Amino acid sequence: MIHHYKNEDKALIAVDCIIFGFDQEALKLLLIKRDFEPEKGKWSLMGGFLKKNETVDQAANRVLITLTGLQDVYLEQLNVFSEVNRDPVERTVSVAYYALINLQEHDKELIKKYSAQWFEVSQLPKLIFDHEQMVELAISRLRYKTSVQPIGFELLPEKFTMRQLQKLYEAILNQKLDKRNFSKKINSLDLLVKLNEKDMGSSRKGSFLYKFDQFKYQKKISNGFNFKL
Amino acid sequence: MIHHYKNEDKALIAVDCIIFGFDQEALKLLLIKRDFEPEKGKWSLMGGFLKKNETVDQAANRVLITLTGLQDVYLEQLNVFSEVNRDPVERTVSVAYYALINLQEHDKELIKKYSAQWFEVSQLPKLIFDHEQMVELAISRLRYKTSVQPIGFELLPEKFTMRQLQKLYEAILNQKLDKRNFSKKINSLDLLVKLNEKDMGSSRKGSFLYKFDQFKYQKKISNGFNFKL
DNA sequence: TCAAAAGTGTTCACCGTACACCCATGG
DNA sequence: CCATGGGTGTACGGTGAACACTTTTGA
């Protein structure tokens, strides 16, 4: 039995997280002000190095918890970025992840600690290294994924109005949708529960709140149902 | 200026290639008989370690050329596999790629050299490590990708009949298609050139050969065209 | 009573799907 | 002349897209 592969090059492995949130109007990203060299003081994705005893999924989760305090967040691997000099200090291969969180729920103290800040995706600052590429890829993947899987709800509070949901999809797809067609479509999927409760914050009349029915969704997919927006 | 990140763990980085081919009837994978420990003699995907001065894309290409002799092959990154003990020898994080090649064109000598062999995807042998997971993922990604991008042609010779194309899609999607609807659909995309030339190999009447028009396709996508099968 | 958002239905064009017969040729 | 695969058209139902008016209620 051999104990190592000889003469092969090793490298540092990092994970970087594109963290999405939604604030009623716009799709946002959580960025940190980098507090170490190189590029100290510049805006960056939250990241970290892979440790000996964890998978990259676990590393991404750890990084996410560190910045937001949130457990069990929707997290999906995007792609590997491995340009030889992408990090000027040392050869580092990075695995990019994107996460969807409820913007209301994260830990404000941690955000301060890391000098993090939310930016609208349409108004991002300049980012270090290849992080802009990662963001671009994350947005296009998010667009695709929300259209074939009901993951948009991860960005909303548990109870939400039809209008909030529509605004969310409009922000993700970056286009206006017709509200009649939208609610018809959503209702036909039969995945929401309409509550006997109204949100009075946005109009005189008030608008009904809905909940996503995770259980119903699971039952449907196990019967061969295909989500398609 | 600092010159390295201290105290971070390094790991070996590998690439593994799922190599697809098509032989008129079935979708196939090219596997090698592993010639070193551990798991020597078992069936495996072709892989290799990332070198200091190359990206993972380049590494995957290098691996592919080594086994097939083919340059400029369709190659797409799938996912990172990073279970801590996936390779019993040493911590190795692997980036899986899938490739589409023309089964007729690869270098038969190299295949022999690496004791490689083509297997129908429906009749694969047991594979080492997590390679079966990689294959499964590759197949589902191939299914998705062929339905939104005309990459199926990468698996066919330059000139092919409508029937070959249909058989290819049937093999990828694992379902029968109606030939009238299929050719109607393909023709409506307006991406093929019908040649004044017939393939006489499969019938008395002979069937017309087609070519994929890469140039037309590029022009169409730059005009906002969306391939959808 | 007015302003502001909520809620709701119909029509039409297009696309996917199902389905069956004639054609050309070599043996 | 016949067996084999090649090639083609039509009818129908369902889905996506366009489009406008009424309702509620707080100020």
Side-chain angles (χ1 to χ4, degrees):
Chain A
M1 190 67 186
I2 53 174
H3 294 91
H4 51 256
Y5 297 112
K6 55 181 193 291
N7 294 331
E8 301 294 349
D9 302 321
K10 294 192 175 188
L12 283 171
I13 300 175
V15 295
D16 285 300
C17 293
I18 294 102
I19 305 172
F20 287 102
F22 178 68
D23 77 344
Q24 313 294 315
E25 288 298 331
L27 193 60
K28 297 196 163 186
L29 283 190
L30 188 54
L31 300 175
I32 63 168
K33 202 171 241 170
R34 197 165 149 109
D35 67 347
F36 58 95
E37 292 295 346
E39 306 279 5
K40 185 169 171 173
K42 302 273 182 68
W43 291 104
S44 157
L45 295 170
M46 181 72 176
F49 290 103
L50 177 70
K51 299 194 184 303
K52 255 206 282 291
N53 54 356
E54 65 182 0
T55 65
V56 282
D57 280 16
Q58 286 161 352
N61 252 299
R62 172 171 56 75
V63 163
L64 199 65
I65 292 171
T66 306
L67 181 58
T68 65
L70 299 173
Q71 311 260 352
D72 298 319
V73 159
Y74 182 87
L75 192 61
E76 190 187 326
Q77 194 187 113
L78 268 181
N79 228 340
V80 174
F81 290 80
S82 64
E83 285 300 322
V84 175
N85 297 308
R86 55 177 295 284
D87 185 322
V89 175
E90 207 172 338
R91 179 78 202 268
T92 307
V93 169
S94 176
V95 186
Y97 278 79
Y98 74 96
L100 306 181
I101 74 172
N102 178 342
L103 204 143
Q104 310 311 322
E105 278 183 4
H106 68 274
D107 187 325
K108 273 71 176 179
E109 289 306 309
L110 289 170
I111 296 267
K112 268 185 217 151
K113 179 172 164 194
Y114 289 95
S115 320
Q117 199 174 306
W118 287 97
F119 290 86
E120 292 198 16
V121 292
S122 56
Q123 294 166 32
L124 295 178
K126 211 164 167 346
L127 301 178
I128 65 163
F129 302 173
D130 45 12
H131 288 192
E132 290 180 12
Q133 258 179 281
M134 295 180 179
V135 169
E136 204 176 325
L137 185 64
I139 292 172
S140 72
R141 183 76 137 267
L142 176 63
R143 266 181 204 151
Y144 162 64
K145 210 58 193 280
T146 48
S147 79
V148 296
Q149 228 176 282
I151 59 172
F153 306 103
E154 307 283 345
L155 291 162
L156 292 174
E158 202 196 345
K159 302 173 180 180
F160 50 86
T161 66
M162 193 57 84
R163 206 44 38 102
Q164 283 177 289
L165 186 61
Q166 183 180 340
K167 286 232 167 98
L168 169 64
Y169 275 95
E170 288 178 339
I172 292 173
L173 303 172
N174 198 26
Q175 60 175 337
K176 283 270 163 220
L177 301 171
D178 180 273
K179 66 176 174 173
R180 286 160 293 187
N181 292 337
F182 183 78
S183 61
K184 210 187 314 167
K185 184 63 184 273
I186 296 291
N187 287 137
S188 77
L189 293 172
D190 188 28
L191 292 172
L192 297 188
V193 185
K194 186 175 188 170
L195 304 173
N196 276 327
E197 198 180 336
K198 283 188 163 189
D199 168 32
M200 302 305 294
S202 65
S203 75
R204 310 247 151 95
K205 190 177 178 179
S207 57
F208 280 104
L209 288 165
Y210 292 81
K211 264 165 86 172
F212 176 64
D213 190 335
Q214 185 68 46
F215 181 72
K216 210 176 216 174
Y217 174 61
Q218 293 302 336
K219 218 172 60 185
K220 275 176 184 277
I221 50 175
S222 71
N223 290 331
F225 166 79
N226 253 325
F227 181 91
K228 191 85 196 72
L229 195 88
Chain B
M1 191 65 185
I2 53 174
H3 294 90
H4 48 90
Y5 297 112
K6 54 181 194 290
N7 294 331
E8 300 294 348
D9 302 321
K10 293 192 176 187
L12 284 171
I13 300 175
V15 296
D16 286 300
C17 293
I18 295 103
I19 305 172
F20 287 102
F22 178 68
D23 77 344
Q24 312 296 315
E25 288 299 332
L27 193 60
K28 298 196 161 183
L29 283 191
L30 188 55
L31 301 174
I32 64 168
K33 203 171 240 169
R34 198 166 148 110
D35 68 346
F36 57 95
E37 293 296 347
E39 305 280 4
K40 185 169 172 173
K42 303 275 183 64
W43 291 103
S44 156
L45 295 170
M46 180 71 176
F49 290 104
L50 178 70
K51 298 194 184 304
K52 254 206 284 290
N53 55 356
E54 65 182 0
T55 64
V56 283
D57 280 16
Q58 286 161 353
N61 252 300
R62 172 172 55 77
V63 163
L64 200 66
I65 291 171
T66 306
L67 180 59
T68 65
L70 298 173
Q71 310 261 353
D72 298 320
V73 159
Y74 182 87
L75 192 62
E76 190 187 324
Q77 195 187 113
L78 267 180
N79 229 338
V80 174
F81 290 79
S82 63
E83 285 299 321
V84 175
N85 296 310
R86 56 177 294 284
D87 185 322
V89 176
E90 207 172 338
R91 178 78 202 268
T92 306
V93 169
S94 176
V95 186
Y97 278 79
Y98 75 96
L100 306 182
I101 74 172
N102 178 342
L103 204 144
Q104 310 311 322
E105 279 184 2
H106 67 275
D107 186 325
K108 273 71 175 180
E109 288 307 309
L110 288 170
I111 296 266
K112 268 185 218 151
K113 179 172 164 195
Y114 289 94
S115 321
Q117 199 175 307
W118 286 97
F119 290 86
E120 291 198 15
V121 292
S122 56
Q123 293 167 31
L124 296 178
K126 211 165 166 345
L127 301 178
I128 65 163
F129 302 171
D130 45 11
H131 288 192
E132 290 181 13
Q133 257 179 280
M134 294 180 180
V135 169
E136 203 175 325
L137 185 63
I139 292 172
S140 73
R141 183 76 136 265
L142 176 63
R143 267 183 202 149
Y144 162 64
K145 209 58 193 275
T146 48
S147 79
V148 296
Q149 229 176 281
I151 59 172
F153 305 103
E154 307 283 344
L155 291 162
L156 292 175
E158 201 197 346
K159 301 172 180 181
F160 51 85
T161 66
M162 194 56 83
R163 207 44 38 104
Q164 283 176 290
L165 185 62
Q166 184 180 341
K167 287 232 168 96
L168 170 64
Y169 275 94
E170 288 178 340
I172 292 173
L173 303 173
N174 197 26
Q175 61 175 336
K176 283 269 164 222
L177 301 171
D178 179 272
K179 66 176 173 175
R180 287 161 292 188
N181 293 337
F182 183 79
S183 62
K184 210 187 317 167
K185 183 63 184 274
I186 295 291
N187 287 137
S188 77
L189 294 172
D190 187 30
L191 292 172
L192 296 187
V193 185
K194 187 176 190 170
L195 303 173
N196 276 327
E197 199 179 336
K198 282 188 163 189
D199 168 34
M200 302 305 294
S202 65
S203 75
R204 309 249 153 94
K205 189 179 178 178
S207 57
F208 280 104
L209 289 165
Y210 292 81
K211 263 164 88 172
F212 175 63
D213 189 335
Q214 186 68 46
F215 181 72
K216 211 177 215 174
Y217 174 60
Q218 292 303 335
K219 218 170 62 185
K220 275 176 184 280
I221 49 173
S222 71
N223 289 331
F225 167 79
N226 253 325
F227 181 90
K228 193 85 196 69
L229 196 88

